[in-house]
Amino acid sequence: MVQIEAFQGLRYDLAHVGSLSDVIAPPYDVIDPEFQNQLYEVHPTNVIRLILNRDEPGDETGDEKYERAARYLKQWQREGVLSEESHAAIYVYHQEFSYAGNTFIRKGFMCRMQLEKLGKGNVYPHEETHSAAKVDRLKLFNATRANLSQIFGIYPDEENQAQKILEQAIMGKTPLEATDHLGVVHRLWVVDDLQTIGDLQASMGDKAMFIADGHHRYETACNYQQQLKESGELTDVHPANCVMTMCVSMNDDGMIVLPTHRLFKGLPQYDSATLISKIDSAFDCQVIGTGSELAESVWEQIEVDDAQDTVGLYCPVDDTWVLATLNTDGLERLAAVASDRTDDWQGLGVSILHRLLVQTCLGHESLPKPKYVHLVQEVVDSLNQGADDDGEAFGLAALVMPATLDHIRTISKNGERMPAKSTYFYPKLLSGLVINSLE
């Protein structure tokens, strides 16, 4: 069973900072240097100085930024900018946002969740991780001794019973509120009633938890726990046995998964005839037409059909879109080149795109990281720009369906991990609402 618990979070004192909107930030891994600098300018105590402290003139090793983050954390606690909750609490967290002309509210709660070795308990990952990111986060863990950002966990709960317990507890109460740079409204309620917390723990006791976002932070938390164990610092009640987690029911009305489209770099620019000649043994190909703006109609066809086995491909040489659908020969070929994977994994659009189309048919095994975008208009804008911000031209663009929540549950329980960027959970969770001390 998943074990959760209340905790005494560190939160911004609005008497010191004014507006909560001025001191929050999205997760570190979606912040580029330009946005990082903007957040630095918004407020002198913006959480960016903790989660992604920037390099400064005079730095010698590159590790000084972690120590600066730790100094800020201590300083802000001394000055009362950050204050510890008077009682252990669960933090109810709503996000109100718009997508495709509709308004949604995603509801969840933040708690501490007991760490489990992935694949050995009831916490399941679904995407691959990269060692460099985990090295970076572990340095920050060691310096600050805190979970500065929560991981994002999703759990099956057909009737949303766990969340209903909390919704009853906050009824009629005024939340803290912040609006992020995308216009998403974030609301937070503090629940410290012991009966409510006990009821929530009982409701969550039989649930599995699937990591939706924050894989690097979860694995880093495990590495930090092991590090303390080896040094003799870890006790049974040490807070490093847990990780701060946002928990959202898979059945919540606000749970949507967006696609992550790809603009590939580091491969030749393709014209449609050449591309088709290379992939038509595995895909039935249909030329849709010319013009980057056709991306919308190509995507609509894929999305309406809910077609994991179909990808939309843009060829920059002749400005042409091709719709490629996996055929029987391609299915057999994928089974051969991905024989180490289950049928569920092989059926993912991102698996078909990367393992079969790009790596096998086109023969590109090791490519630079693509440019990832989530909106079709972002694909069009990037194609019209012609190259990435670093000046590297795009050789091919691909529109691909995201993995679904059912895919996440099934493939994770199979003990497999999906290709990177198989899912995009929108909106992102804020950093800065609550911090979990590990001291």
Side-chain angles (χ1 to χ4, degrees), residues 198-219:
D199 291 345
L200 177 68
Q201 289 174 313
S203 181
M204 292 294 294
D206 62 347
K207 305 288 191 293
M209 190 70 69
F210 300 87
I211 300 174
D213 207 356
H215 289 79
H216 293 97
R217 278 164 279 162
Y218 186 91
E219 292 188 25

Side-chain angles (χ1 to χ4, degrees), residues 1-139:
M1 65 176 63
V2 170
Q3 298 183 45
I4 65 166
E5 61 185 52
F7 68 102
Q8 292 175 263
L10 292 172
R11 293 194 294 111
Y12 279 105
D13 184 339
L14 298 187
H16 280 79
V17 303
S19 171
L20 189 58
S21 299
D22 291 340
V23 292
I24 48 83
Y28 77 99
D29 54 353
V30 298
I31 300 173
D32 62 20
E34 181 181 357
F35 189 30
Q36 181 186 34
N37 289 332
Q38 291 173 8
L39 290 169
Y40 260 76
E41 296 300 320
V42 169
H43 198 281
T45 63
N46 187 284
V47 75
I48 189 66
R49 290 172 171 80
L50 305 183
I51 64 170
L52 194 64
N53 197 280
R54 64 187 176 190
D55 294 320
E56 300 288 357
D59 287 355
E60 296 180 355
T61 66
D63 288 348
E64 291 86 353
K65 58 190 175 186
Y66 305 109
E67 294 305 322
R68 275 194 296 274
R71 287 197 299 272
Y72 276 124
L73 182 60
K74 292 298 185 187
Q75 176 186 337
W76 294 351
Q77 290 179 75
R78 287 196 305 269
E79 295 174 350
V81 174
L82 291 171
S83 299
E84 185 178 75
E85 208 75 61
S86 57
H87 298 90
I90 298 292
Y91 298 88
V92 180
Y93 181 8
H94 291 185
Q95 295 169 285
E96 183 175 338
F97 61 100
S98 297
Y99 177 69
N102 297 309
T103 298
F104 299 87
I105 299 178
R106 189 170 68 193
K107 300 176 181 179
F109 62 91
M110 283 188 278
C111 61
R112 277 179 179 165
M113 181 176 69
Q114 193 82 22
L115 289 168
E116 297 181 1
K117 187 174 179 62
L118 294 177
K120 301 295 184 182
N122 289 295
V123 179
Y124 298 89
H126 84 273
E127 284 190 346
E128 299 289 352
T129 56
H130 304 286
S131 58
K134 287 183 283 189
V135 169
D136 164 64
R137 292 297 96 179
L138 185 58
K139 288 180 178 180

Side-chain angles (χ1 to χ4, degrees), residues 251-312:
N251 303 92
D252 183 77
D253 290 339
M255 272 299 302
I256 61 173
V257 185
L258 301 188
T260 302
H261 305 306
R262 275 85 162 144
L263 294 106
F264 289 100
K265 300 176 288 185
L267 75 177
Q269 288 197 319
Y270 283 99
D271 64 84
S272 55
T274 301
L275 176 71
I276 291 171
S277 70
K278 290 180 175 290
I279 69 173
D280 65 357
S281 61
F283 294 87
D284 294 330
C285 298
Q286 177 187 357
V287 175
I288 301 300
T290 59
S292 59
E293 289 75 14
L294 271 181
E296 288 287 357
S297 59
V298 173
W299 175 242
E300 183 178 354
Q301 186 170 338
I302 296 171
E303 191 175 34
V304 168
D305 292 341
D306 192 19
Q308 290 282 335
D309 62 352
T310 302
V311 293

Side-chain angles (χ1 to χ4, degrees), residues 132-402:
K134 287 183 283 189
V135 169
D136 164 64
R137 292 297 96 179
L138 185 58
K139 288 180 178 180
L140 189 60
F141 265 61
N142 279 316
T144 63
R145 291 178 172 262
N147 294 151
L148 302 172
S149 304
Q150 64 280 72
I151 70 160
F152 186 3
I154 55 178
Y155 61 93
D157 188 356
E158 290 188 8
E159 302 299 325
N160 293 323
Q161 288 298 329
Q163 190 66 33
K164 286 178 180 177
I165 293 169
L166 295 171
E167 296 303 307
Q168 183 67 32
I170 65 171
M171 190 176 296
K173 297 182 179 179
T174 303
L176 296 166
E177 189 170 296
T179 302
D180 67 22
H181 66 296
L182 298 176
V184 178
V185 179
H186 304 257
R187 298 185 177 96
L188 190 78
W189 292 261
V190 180
V191 176
D192 58 11
D193 175 69
L194 294 179
Q195 181 64 51
T196 301
I197 293 170
D199 291 345
L200 177 68
Q201 289 174 313
S203 181
M204 292 294 294
D206 62 347
K207 305 288 191 293
M209 190 70 69
F210 300 87
I211 300 174
D213 207 356
H215 289 79
H216 293 97
R217 278 164 279 162
Y218 186 91
E219 292 188 25
T220 300
C222 291
N223 292 338
Y224 182 72
Q225 178 193 39
Q226 182 62 29
Q227 180 181 288
L228 294 187
K229 183 177 181 180
E230 292 172 357
S231 69
E233 296 179 59
L234 193 70
T235 65
D236 290 342
V237 296
H238 198 290
N241 290 312
C242 298
V243 65
M244 184 168 64
T245 304
M246 168 69 165
C247 305
V248 178
S249 166
M250 288 178 164
N251 303 92
D252 183 77
D253 290 339
M255 272 299 302
I256 61 173
V257 185
L258 301 188
T260 302
H261 305 306
R262 275 85 162 144
L263 294 106
F264 289 100
K265 300 176 288 185
L267 75 177
Q269 288 197 319
Y270 283 99
D271 64 84
S272 55
T274 301
L275 176 71
I276 291 171
S277 70
K278 290 180 175 290
I279 69 173
D280 65 357
S281 61
F283 294 87
D284 294 330
C285 298
Q286 177 187 357
V287 175
I288 301 300
T290 59
S292 59
E293 289 75 14
L294 271 181
E296 288 287 357
S297 59
V298 173
W299 175 242
E300 183 178 354
Q301 186 170 338
I302 296 171
E303 191 175 34
V304 168
D305 292 341
D306 192 19
Q308 290 282 335
D309 62 352
T310 302
V311 293
L313 303 167
Y314 176 82
C315 303
V317 173
D318 55 357
D319 191 27
T320 298
W321 282 98
V322 175
L323 202 63
T325 301
L326 186 70
N327 59 30
T328 303
D329 290 341
L331 191 62
E332 293 177 357
R333 195 169 177 188
L334 178 60
V337 299
S339 58
D340 58 330
R341 301 290 188 170
T342 63
D343 291 346
D344 297 307
W345 188 96
Q346 292 176 24
L348 287 174
V350 287
S351 301
I352 294 166
L353 172 63
H354 285 276
R355 181 65 70 90
L356 181 61
L357 196 151
V358 174
Q359 294 180 13
T360 304
C361 295
L362 298 183
H364 299 290
E365 288 282 348
S366 301
L367 289 174
K369 184 172 71 172
K371 180 177 182 179
Y372 298 114
V373 297
H374 309 291
L375 301 177
V376 175
Q377 187 58 48
E378 291 177 302
V379 177
V380 175
D381 293 343
S382 297
L383 292 176
N384 290 341
Q385 183 178 324
D388 205 356
D389 294 337
D390 58 10
E392 189 169 359
F394 302 121
L396 187 70
L399 306 178
V400 61
M401 286 289 289

